[in-house]
């Protein structure tokens, strides 16, 4: 899509950009990352998943990474693990109630929650592992979902390499002052900007 506006327009924040692209795709390709509009309950369950990722999983990712005290690191590591487990429970709920959503279902299509959480789950496997020794939860279904997610062609085409993530997140891992608005918000106990 060519930006022909003067002055040029831009968007920031990944979920806002994703929502924008979803609207474009709905008009141009008639494809969606959401369940069909004929199943509003399934779509609502995906919104629960996405809300949990944005409100819980992402902030605790940063709190964990920025924690400097070993006891705080242990506590935040447990909280991050619990946030992942809660997401798994939301995936399992959707599986029970509507047959599942996204890649959680073997043979399923890439879904909204998969796309929203993929960068954070991937960063957990390298950034949090490297700087905090974090180990992903275990479980056959979870590990199969991770495999489908990380091997999905769209994920592979849009993911940076691990070295870039380690370099980019080093400043958070050592909680350097004024690293970013996100770091400042976490350190002051405010919500993410």
């Amino acid at each position: 899509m060519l930006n022909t506006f003067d002055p040029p327009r831009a968007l920031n924040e990944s979920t806002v950009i994703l929502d924008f692209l979803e609207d474009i795709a709905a008009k141009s390709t008639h494809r969606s990352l959401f369940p069909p509009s004929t199943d509003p309950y399934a779509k609502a369950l995906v919104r629960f998943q996405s809300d949990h990722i944005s409100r819980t999983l992402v902030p605790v990712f940063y709190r964990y990474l920025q924690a400097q005290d070993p006891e705080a690191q242990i506590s935040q590591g447990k909280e991050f693990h619990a946030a992942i487990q809660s997401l798994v429970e939301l995936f399992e709920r959707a599986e029970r109630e509507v047959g599942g959503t996204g890649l959680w279902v073997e043979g399923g299509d890439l879904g909204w929650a998969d796309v929203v959480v993929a960068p954070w789950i991937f960063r957990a496997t390298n950034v949090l592992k490297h700087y905090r020794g974090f180990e992903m939860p275990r479980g056959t279904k979870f590990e199969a979902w991770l495999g489908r997610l990380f091997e999905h062609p769209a994920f592979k085409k849009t993911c940076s390499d691990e070295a870039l993530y380690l370099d980019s997140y080093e400043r958070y891992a050592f909680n350097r002052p004024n690293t970013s608005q996100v770091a400042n918000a976490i350190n002051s106990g405010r919500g993410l900007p």
Side-chain angles (χ1 to χ4, degrees):
M1 172 179 241
L2 183 62
N3 190 341
T4 58
F5 297 99
D6 187 22
R9 295 178 179 176
L11 295 171
N12 59 329
E13 297 304 326
S14 58
T15 52
V16 172
I17 294 167
L18 183 59
D19 201 35
F20 174 75
L21 294 173
E22 174 73 15
D23 288 343
I24 289 172
K27 291 177 184 168
S28 62
T29 66
H30 306 288
R31 295 182 67 197
S32 177
L33 293 171
F34 285 102
S37 60
T38 55
D39 193 347
Y41 185 75
K43 185 174 181 179
L45 293 178
V46 170
R47 288 285 189 204
F48 276 135
Q49 296 162 0
S50 179
D51 185 67
H52 172 73
I53 295 160
S54 297
R55 290 181 189 251
T56 305
L57 195 138
V58 173
V60 78
F61 171 92
Y62 280 107
R63 285 194 305 270
Y64 181 27
L65 183 58
Q66 288 178 235
Q68 300 302 298
D69 176 70
E71 287 182 22
Q73 290 176 2
I74 291 168
S75 172
Q76 294 303 317
K78 288 177 181 177
E79 192 174 335
F80 187 70
H81 194 278
I84 293 172
Q85 186 56 44
S86 292
L87 180 62
V88 167
E89 290 167 7
L90 289 169
F91 286 156
E92 290 172 340
R93 175 183 176 185
E95 188 173 22
R96 283 189 313 274
E97 295 181 8
V98 297
T101 58
L103 294 175
W104 185 256
V105 178
E106 188 172 351
D109 292 328
L110 185 68
W112 182 268
D114 298 320
V115 173
V116 172
V117 79
W120 304 104
I121 293 293
F122 184 68
R123 290 170 189 153
T125 66
N126 54 65
V127 172
L128 290 180
K129 183 176 180 81
H130 179 81
Y131 290 113
R132 297 293 178 258
F134 182 75
E135 293 292 328
M136 292 299 282
R138 294 287 190 216
T140 305
K141 187 94 173 170
F142 179 75
E143 291 171 19
W145 169 75
L146 272 183
R148 289 189 292 274
L149 183 63
F150 291 167
E151 290 302 315
H152 194 280
F155 177 82
K156 292 172 90 171
K157 287 180 184 177
T158 59
C159 188
S160 298
D161 69 13
E162 292 184 19
L164 178 69
Y165 288 114
L166 293 177
D167 183 56
S168 298
Y169 280 88
E170 179 184 40
R171 60 193 173 142
Y172 292 96
F174 295 104
N175 201 17
R176 294 190 183 120
N178 298 315
T179 292
S180 71
Q181 289 180 352
V182 169
N184 293 343
I186 292 294
N187 288 331
S188 68
R190 295 188 324 262
L192 297 183

